[in-house]
Amino acid sequence: MFRRTTSRIALATAVAAALIGGLVTLSVGAASAATPAKYADDFNGDGYRDYVVGDSGSFTVTYGTASGPGSMSRTITQNSPGIPGKSGDAGGYVDAFGESLATADFNRDGYADLAVADKTEKVATRAAQGTVTIVWGSRSGLSSSATRLPLRSPHADYEFGWSLAAGDFDGDGKPDLAVSDIEKVYVYRGGFSKSGTTGKVTTHRPQPSVTHVFEPTGLVAGKVTKDKATDLYVLGQGEKNGRMTQAAWFLQGGSTIKAGTFTTYDTTAPDWSPTGVIADFDKNGYGDLAVSDTPYNKHAGSVVVLRGGTRGAASSYRLSQSTAGVATAAAKDEQFGVSVSAGDTDHDGYPDLAVGVPYEKVGSANGAGGVHVLRGGRSGLTGAGSRWFSRATAGVPGNAVSQAAFGIHVRLRDVNRDGYADLLISDQYENYDTSVLLPAGTTGVTASDARELSVRADFPQ
């Protein structure tokens, strides 16, 4: 078995784990006890999507308004009232509470809730057993009411909660939660309750005939097939012919979750923090997985798109800075694809893809970073009509600074609810807890009227 090392960087896949546009139900209007939340991340039930980002040992929620993130925010740790567990380093591990998040109205009371993982949590004498806690939403937002998920047959050092993903995996209308550890994936069916009960729990791992070794490193949920259930891609490290590989394993949602395609997309180097998102980039009715492959080409990086089909990936193609139409040239260690996010930036019906390149050289500033926006269309994602933004782009606030890693986090979200997905971009070191908002319109994302926001572009999608 390959042993992973604990990473401080939160998995974007946990964040990509939420369905694009939120978990939408048929309900509209104010939250009530009988009406599930309209959005999977509206924690106070006011009809606006909220913004929650995690760090090592905490998470911060910023409540949304009609124009985007508002001024009301709160940071919660395991020292906060009502939150189980203990803050701080444990047995040599950095506190991972908050590094993996997933959102849904798990108890369907009209307020979205937050699943928070801590893969390093020591429980009883079991170091790094890991835990997952649901922090419940309320009229006042995320509250001091929280409940840990039950875990049958816990083990030390299995890091339960490495990654999370929420969705209706069995298609019964109730949100479910997928959780991985270092060996397998657990799917907890709804409904969830504050007393700690859940629906049926199943475990999933590839058969030895598929791969000799497979350690999950990320989960990406979304609609791939044409039924009503949410599907799941499990990203992970495998072994093929004695070599480490990166692969995406498809689990098809339904009353019984079925194993589908197993696609190896890199055989050169490990990646313990892959990121991905599911969207129907070519509008053929099947959701496609766009997954990072940052080790590709000496860490110049790329994004691999697995076209959706009836059993998962039907075919694949690769996008990089060597793709025709993409503005900048590929160079080693730039890590094209370290962050990705999908949304329709020009309202043409095709989702587009924002791709962070945090270590791109901009002018004379090494590692200043930037973001490409690749357009979706009948042929899927291509470089045609793509756009490039950095701190050196006219209208973008600030200046290109060496090693700022602008683009380490990206998110596409319709911040002002005008039907166009706007682009939020964050640095790694400069103004870490803020983002630049580039609004979108009929021509897509532009730097016109760009502004700074006091929220990091690392919230669940």
Side-chain angles (χ1 to χ4, degrees):
M1 177 188 299
F2 302 115
R3 285 297 297 146
R4 65 187 83 193
T5 55
T6 300
S7 168
R8 181 185 182 280
I9 300 176
L11 286 174
T13 52
V15 16
L19 296 177
I20 297 171
L23 183 63
V24 181
T25 73
L26 296 179
S27 62
V28 178
S32 70
T35 306
K38 179 180 179 182
Y39 297 112
D41 47 13
D42 179 9
F43 304 116
N44 58 4
D46 64 357
Y48 301 117
R49 299 186 69 182
D50 302 318
Y51 303 76
V52 60
V53 297
D55 274 306
S56 296
S58 69
F59 65 84
T60 299
V61 56
T62 301
Y63 293 97
T65 69
S67 58
S71 59
M72 187 172 66
S73 66
R74 182 186 181 191
T75 297
I76 294 176
T77 72
Q78 287 178 295
N79 289 332
S80 299
I83 306 299
K86 181 180 179 181
S87 289
D89 296 355
Y93 292 92
V94 175
D95 189 350
F97 178 80
E99 286 191 0
S100 190
L101 308 172
T103 64
D105 184 358
F106 289 110
N107 61 353
R108 299 193 300 167
D109 65 350
Y111 303 101
D113 311 301
L114 181 68
V116 187
D118 182 356
K119 62 180 180 283
T120 62
E121 183 82 355
K122 181 179 180 180
V123 181
T125 59
R126 297 181 294 274
Q129 171 197 299
T131 60
V132 176
T133 300
I134 297 179
V135 182
W136 303 103
S138 68
R139 185 180 296 275
S140 59
L142 291 175
S143 66
S144 58
S145 176
T147 306
R148 271 191 177 171
L149 284 187
L151 175 60
R152 184 179 297 178
S153 302
H155 298 279
D157 299 315
Y158 269 54
E159 299 181 4
F160 177 73
W162 179 273
S163 52
L164 305 175
D168 183 9
F169 299 116
D170 57 7
D172 67 352
K174 301 175 185 178
D176 310 313
L177 182 66
V179 185
S180 73
D181 64 14
I182 66 171
E183 282 194 345
K184 62 182 76 69
V185 175
Y186 305 77
V187 178
Y188 287 75
R189 310 304 202 281
F192 297 84
S193 73
K194 292 185 179 181
S195 66
T197 60
T198 73
K200 180 181 178 182
V201 182
T202 54
T203 59
H204 308 270
R205 61 190 303 181
Q207 294 295 320
S209 59
V210 175
T211 180
H212 179 62
V213 174
F214 189 68
E215 292 190 357
T217 52
L219 300 173
V220 188
K223 295 296 293 294
V224 175
T225 61
K226 295 182 178 182
D227 59 22
K228 63 181 181 179
T230 305
D231 303 304
L232 185 69
Y233 270 106
V234 185
L235 311 180
Q237 308 289 356
E239 183 180 292
K240 186 174 183 178
N241 299 324
R243 298 184 64 182
M244 176 83 82
T245 64
Q246 294 178 60
W249 181 43
F250 181 68
L251 293 177
Q252 183 175 349
S255 56
T256 299
I257 294 176
K258 300 177 181 178
T261 55
F262 186 92
T263 305
T264 298
Y265 57 89
D266 191 285
T267 60
T268 60
D271 180 5
W272 297 111
S273 298
T275 184
V277 65
I278 293 171
D280 187 3
F281 297 112
D282 54 8
K283 279 182 63 178
N284 69 347
Y286 294 100
D288 311 311
L289 171 69
V291 59
S292 63
D293 182 9
T294 54
Y296 176 76
N297 191 20
K298 299 180 180 179
H299 294 272
S302 70
V303 171
V304 178
V305 180
L306 305 186
R307 292 184 185 271
T310 57
R311 293 295 307 278
S315 61
S316 66
Y317 58 95
R318 188 182 297 272
L319 299 159
S320 72
Q321 291 183 103
S322 298
T323 299
V326 176
T328 56
K332 67 177 184 178
D333 297 325
E334 290 179 340
Q335 296 197 34
F336 176 95
V338 76
S339 55
V340 295
S341 184
D344 188 354
T345 64
D346 54 4
H347 206 231
D348 66 352
Y350 292 96
D352 308 308
L353 187 73
V355 182
V357 196
Y359 305 111
E360 175 80 19
K361 183 176 181 179
V362 178
S364 61
N366 291 315
V371 178
H372 292 280
V373 179
L374 308 180
R375 301 281 298 278
R378 187 173 299 176
S379 300
L381 292 169
T382 69
S386 67
R387 298 192 174 182
W388 163 251
F389 300 95
S390 73
R391 291 279 191 182
T393 301
V396 176
N399 299 299
V401 177
S402 292
Q403 306 309 319
F406 188 61
I408 191 72
H409 301 298
V410 300
R411 285 292 181 265
L412 287 171
R413 176 179 283 192
D414 184 4
V415 170
N416 59 2
R417 306 197 300 178
D418 65 354
Y420 300 92
D422 309 302
L423 175 61
L424 293 87
I425 313 170
S426 294
D427 301 288
Q428 183 164 15
Y429 302 114
E430 297 288 323
N431 307 310
Y432 179 68
D433 288 318
T434 67
S435 62
V436 172
L437 171 66
L438 303 182
T442 55
T443 60
V445 176
T446 73
S448 300
D449 301 318
R451 58 189 173 98
E452 300 271 4
L453 295 179
S454 56
V455 63
R456 192 165 76 241
D458 191 27
F459 43 85
Q461 303 190 66

